[in-house]
């Protein structure tokens, strides 16, 4: 199952490296055709407004929605999570609408702009017992999530890692630490989609 990493802007190279560490092959995708050809998609961190500008008129947003709705595994971090959301605030903006969540951008103010935290409120059944080191960079916050959204980790009570069927989204950057548990979760869903396609 081919994994395409959207490579218009942001830390797509870090995602490629993190997935390569786990033995996964990826390709960098930059067009709607490449998005449609991929079996799974990664939306990196970066700047969501810039990503929207670069996607304008390319057909990529429609291709991403089609991929998500077709049940292909989709994994977004930080700006990538913002792209996936149904509702975007602060300022109000666009979202692809495939993740039933409201995302507040730059939610932690200037002083706490960027921080490394040890998340202790994690779903141990899915992620194991160890606290998760999490890098937040001008991070958004999931202000609300719908009933079909499973919360896998929280920071100060707010969801920071969520899963809705084939969609996985983090407001932090698992690709920037050595903790590969979130990437592994994505790869499990890629493997599951591959088995389904083969059956
Ligand atoms: N603040 C950025 C945005 O609103 C996201 C930051 C990130 O991806 N590290 O798009």
């Amino acid at each position: 199952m081919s994994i395409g990493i959207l490579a218009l802007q942001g830390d797509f190279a870090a995602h490629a490296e993190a997935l390569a560490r786990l033995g996964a092959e990826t390709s960098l995708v930059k067009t709607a055709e490449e998005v449609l050809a991929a079996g799974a998609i990664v939306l990196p961190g970066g700047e969501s407004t810039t990503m929207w500008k670069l996607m304008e008129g390319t057909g990529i947003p429609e291709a991403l929605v089609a991929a998500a709705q077709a049940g292909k595994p989709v994994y977004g971090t930080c700006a990538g999570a913002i792209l996936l959301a149904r509702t975007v605030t602060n300022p109000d903006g666009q979202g692809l609408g495939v993740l039933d969540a409201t995302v507040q951008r730059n939610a932690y103010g200037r002083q706490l702009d960027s921080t490394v935290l040890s998340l202790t409120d994690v779903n141990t059944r899915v992620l194991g017992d160890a606290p998760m080191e999490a890098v937040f960079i001008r991070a958004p916050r999931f202000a609300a999530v719908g009933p079909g959204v499973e919360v896998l980790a929280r920071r100060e009570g707010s969801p920071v890692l969520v899963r809705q069927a084939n969609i996985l989204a983090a407001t932090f950057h698992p690709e920037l630490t050595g903790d590969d548990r979130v990437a592994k979760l994505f790869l499990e869903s890629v493997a599951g989609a591959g088995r389904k396609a083969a059956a």
Side-chain angles (χ1 to χ4, degrees):
M1 180 83 34
S2 62
I3 301 172
I5 305 175
L6 188 67
L8 300 176
Q9 191 269 336
D11 74 340
F12 49 86
H15 274 283
E17 279 166 31
L19 292 170
R21 271 204 304 274
L22 295 169
E25 270 187 45
T26 60
S27 58
L28 301 180
V29 296
K30 293 184 178 163
T31 65
E33 291 71 27
E34 289 168 344
V35 169
L36 290 171
I41 297 285
V42 177
L43 300 176
E47 224 292 316
S48 55
T49 313
T50 308
M51 290 184 194
W52 272 114
K53 283 202 185 112
L54 294 170
M55 290 194 296
E56 220 171 74
T58 63
I60 293 175
E62 295 79 3
L64 292 171
V65 170
Q69 287 177 348
K72 293 181 181 177
V74 180
Y75 169 35
T77 65
C78 205
I82 297 170
L83 292 186
L84 291 168
R86 183 182 303 290
T87 308
V88 178
T89 67
N90 191 38
D92 290 354
Q94 266 176 297
L96 294 169
V98 292
L99 175 66
D100 188 10
T102 298
V103 178
Q104 179 194 359
R105 296 178 59 198
N106 305 314
Y108 296 96
R110 280 208 177 174
Q111 282 205 318
L112 295 174
D113 219 346
S114 300
T115 181
V116 184
L117 285 182
S118 182
L119 300 175
T120 50
D121 190 352
V122 299
N123 181 325
T124 54
R125 182 178 53 79
V126 177
L127 294 163
D129 281 337
M132 181 172 290
E133 183 123 325
V135 178
F136 290 88
I137 304 171
R138 293 182 59 75
R141 189 172 76 87
F142 289 116
V145 295
V149 178
E150 185 187 6
V151 177
L152 299 178
R154 292 177 191 272
R155 167 184 176 181
E156 296 147 18
S158 294
V160 291
L161 175 64
V162 301
R163 182 164 65 175
Q164 175 194 303
N166 54 313
I167 298 173
L168 184 65
T171 61
F172 58 101
H173 292 277
E175 71 279 12
L176 297 182
T177 64
D179 189 330
D180 287 329
R181 282 176 286 170
V182 181
K184 277 189 184 146
L185 212 55
F186 171 62
L187 291 180
E188 277 168 26
S189 120
V190 174
R195 280 194 297 273
K196 242 192 219 168

